[in-house]
Amino acid sequence: MTADSAKPVDISSPINGLSARVGSNLSLSTSPSVIYYTSPASKETSRWPRNTAAAVAKQLKPFATEDIKILLLENVNETGRDILAAQGYQVEFLKTSLPEDELIHRIRDVHVIGIRSKTQLTARVLAEAKNLIVIGCFCIGTNQVDVQFAAKHGIAVFNSPFSNSRSVAELVIAEIIVLARQLGDRSAELHRGTWNKVSNGCWEIRGKTLGIIGYGHIGSQLSVLAEAMGMTVLFYDAVNLMALGTAKQVPTLAALLQGADFVTCHVPESPETSNMIGSTQFEQMKNGSYLINASRGSVIDMPALVDAMRSGKLAGAALDVYPAEPGGNGDYFTNQLNMWAEDLRSLKNIILTPHIGGSTEEAQSAIGVEVSEALVRYVNEGATLGAVNMPEVNLRSLTMDEPNHVRVIYIHHNVPGVLRKGELATWTVETRNLT
């Protein structure tokens, strides 16, 4: 929204306290003359200038950037930290996640928090975040955040849905080859001093069929890579999608399981995907087939997987995610964490990795840039482009011909007359309803 006022504004809503005070410093900060953004409507990551004509910086923000406090957890990539620090924000950086009680203490005074997959921003935590206006998830998933609670309290949530897709797809291709050749077992044996040269049960992947469950950003990239390796690709998705290359969509999960030599999961965590691969599904798979999961740990019924491996139904499996994961590095993958963990570790031809699908230098750098730029746009301009829990608003930049204009974002329930009850009632306001 745009408001005609030369004065800075304190944004506060009388409706359930949904909006937050951005800052009380009366000095105005300046914005860059050229601002870039990434469109979530496209899989491309190119950035286009929104305003290339502006030659002189214009005062846009009714607050001083040094008043904005940011807390970054879980070793957010340096590229993201640099972008935020360059704005003049107060940036506190920690390499680890925090226990809930300490997180509650730390989050009370911050306006922005950046996390990865381990930090849990529950309703209890967010209820204490009185100044919080935006959350940045420096990863694909947002299931670690109570996004509905955040939306109801005017807190935008951003993530990075594209940046690590290639890294995950490459990991899956590597695991397919490692499983087909039993490389994990042969390497472990030789590390123990045992020479065990065998070919029985070892295969080329050329000519084999890959079944992809979930044909999104990762699944579709994986499809292209697999075909380049000479594989036939089937995929199953809840919606009809355009296949890339010669991949073929099948109508049911059972059809995919019955036709694939390798099955790989790339679905979000939801009630519909919880234990979607269990005893029934393992029975539908080919004898001697392989299972890979680099999506969410809740997707696989783990005791059923152990049984399928021990019975020989599956010839191998690769897991990068688990129902419960440690909060930090260390000797924590035991039965105290998951009751079946030690049974899983005892199996042959199974690859266990610690949720590293997107852990490459390239992916983490791209994620740092993508999420940090989204946070800057939201804090400085109120642009919600790419937010997972709010409608998208991305207004044009103000110009030097509008010296008495300032832009704010005013978040409220969709209730008639809400603006008349707030401080904006005395302004001439151009609004766009956010809920």
Side-chain angles (χ1 to χ4, degrees):
M1 63 180 67
T2 303
D4 293 320
S5 174
K7 298 179 180 180
V9 61
D10 172 18
I11 308 170
S12 58
S13 170
I15 306 298
N16 294 338
L18 289 182
S19 57
R21 180 184 299 270
V22 173
S24 58
N25 193 310
L26 296 181
S27 62
L28 292 175
S29 58
T30 59
S31 68
S33 59
V34 180
I35 300 172
Y36 295 91
Y37 76 101
T38 303
S39 172
S42 168
K43 293 185 180 180
E44 301 298 327
T45 57
S46 59
R47 296 186 290 276
W48 301 90
R50 293 177 55 196
N51 179 12
T52 56
V56 180
K58 173 171 171 53
Q59 294 177 334
L60 297 180
K61 301 182 289 295
F63 60 88
T65 52
E66 60 266 23
D67 290 338
I68 300 298
K69 296 180 180 180
I70 297 180
L71 175 62
L72 299 179
L73 303 176
E74 302 184 64
N75 202 26
V76 168
N77 190 267
E78 185 177 1
T79 56
R81 306 199 303 265
D82 289 345
I83 288 171
L84 297 171
Q87 292 291 317
Y89 306 145
Q90 299 179 45
V91 179
E92 182 181 5
F93 165 73
L94 298 176
K95 291 186 176 182
T96 63
S97 58
L98 296 174
E100 186 173 70
D101 289 342
E102 186 176 353
L103 180 59
I104 287 174
H105 174 72
R106 293 286 194 109
I107 204 173
R108 285 179 176 142
D109 296 328
V110 303
H111 302 94
V112 182
I113 187 167
I115 64 173
R116 294 176 68 187
S117 58
K118 292 185 177 66
T119 300
Q120 299 297 309
L121 294 181
T122 62
R124 177 173 178 253
V125 173
L126 294 177
E128 299 293 328
K130 304 303 182 183
N131 292 328
L132 193 66
I133 59 175
V134 61
I135 298 167
C137 296
F138 288 77
C139 51
I140 290 181
T142 58
N143 56 296
Q144 70 276 39
V145 179
D146 190 330
V147 292
Q148 292 185 346
F149 184 95
K152 289 178 181 178
H153 290 76
I155 303 169
V157 179
F158 294 88
N159 68 334
S160 179
F162 316 118
S163 295
N164 71 357
S165 300
R166 177 71 181 201
S167 295
V168 178
E170 288 187 4
L171 177 66
V172 173
I173 287 291
E175 289 175 334
I176 291 171
I177 296 172
V178 169
L179 290 174
R181 298 294 298 274
Q182 302 178 15
L183 296 182
D185 288 356
R186 299 294 85 78
S187 176
E189 289 163 355
L190 205 52
H191 275 276
R192 296 193 299 265
T194 301
W195 184 275
N196 186 22
K197 183 177 179 179
V198 297
S199 60
N200 184 42
C202 298
W203 312 94
E204 294 181 354
I205 68 169
R206 179 180 56 175
K208 305 303 185 295
T209 299
L210 174 64
I212 301 174
I213 304 173
Y215 203 67
H217 306 302
I218 297 171
S220 55
Q221 283 210 34
L222 176 59
S223 173
V224 174
L225 295 178
E227 285 198 359
M229 300 293 291
M231 302 187 78
T232 299
V233 176
L234 305 176
F235 69 91
Y236 169 72
D237 201 286
V239 297
N240 290 327
L241 296 169
M242 183 183 71
L244 300 180
T246 60
K248 178 182 178 182
Q249 185 167 9
V250 294
T252 65
L253 177 59
L256 181 139
L257 297 175
Q258 293 163 5
D261 301 301
F262 295 83
V263 174
T264 179
C265 302
H266 302 283
V267 295
E269 184 174 60
S270 69
E272 292 75 22
T273 62
S274 178
N275 288 335
M276 71 181 301
I277 305 295
S279 299
T280 300
Q281 289 71 35
F282 286 123
E283 285 301 316
Q284 294 170 343
M285 294 176 67
K286 289 183 177 181
N287 291 331
S289 55
Y290 304 83
L291 177 70
I292 299 168
N293 184 23
S295 58
R296 288 293 179 261
S298 60
V299 171
I300 308 297
D301 181 340
M302 301 301 286
L305 171 62
V306 172
D307 290 342
M309 288 288 294
R310 284 177 171 169
S311 69
K313 179 67 177 184
L314 295 186
L319 303 175
D320 189 48
V321 289
Y322 310 89
E325 298 181 356
N329 294 340
D331 298 329
Y332 304 123
F333 197 69
T334 65
N335 282 2
Q336 290 182 316
L337 181 69
N338 293 296
M339 61 182 298
W340 35 257
E342 292 171 28
D343 287 336
L344 200 66
R345 288 162 46 190
S346 70
L347 299 173
K348 296 289 187 180
N349 203 28
I350 185 164
I351 303 169
L352 304 176
T353 50
H355 204 152
I356 57 170
S359 296
T360 62
E361 294 288 352
E362 294 89 348
Q364 292 306 308
S365 176
I367 289 171
V369 171
E370 183 178 5
V371 177
S372 292
E373 287 184 347
L375 295 176
V376 169
R377 288 195 304 272
Y378 184 77
V379 172
N380 292 0
E381 306 172 39
T384 59
L385 195 68
V388 302
N389 65 338
M390 289 190 180
E392 290 190 350
V393 176
N394 190 39
L395 303 179
R396 63 173 176 79
S397 298
L398 296 177
T399 69
M400 295 303 294
D401 296 329
E402 302 166 294
N404 297 321
H405 286 67
V406 66
R407 179 165 291 143
V408 300
I409 182 167
Y410 188 72
I411 302 171
H412 58 82
H413 284 303
N414 189 14
V415 179
V418 65
L419 292 180
R420 289 197 300 272
K421 299 178 182 179
E423 295 179 5
L424 299 183
T426 60
W427 292 21
T428 300
V429 181
E430 175 182 315
T431 68
R432 182 173 299 188
N433 198 348
L434 294 182
T435 59

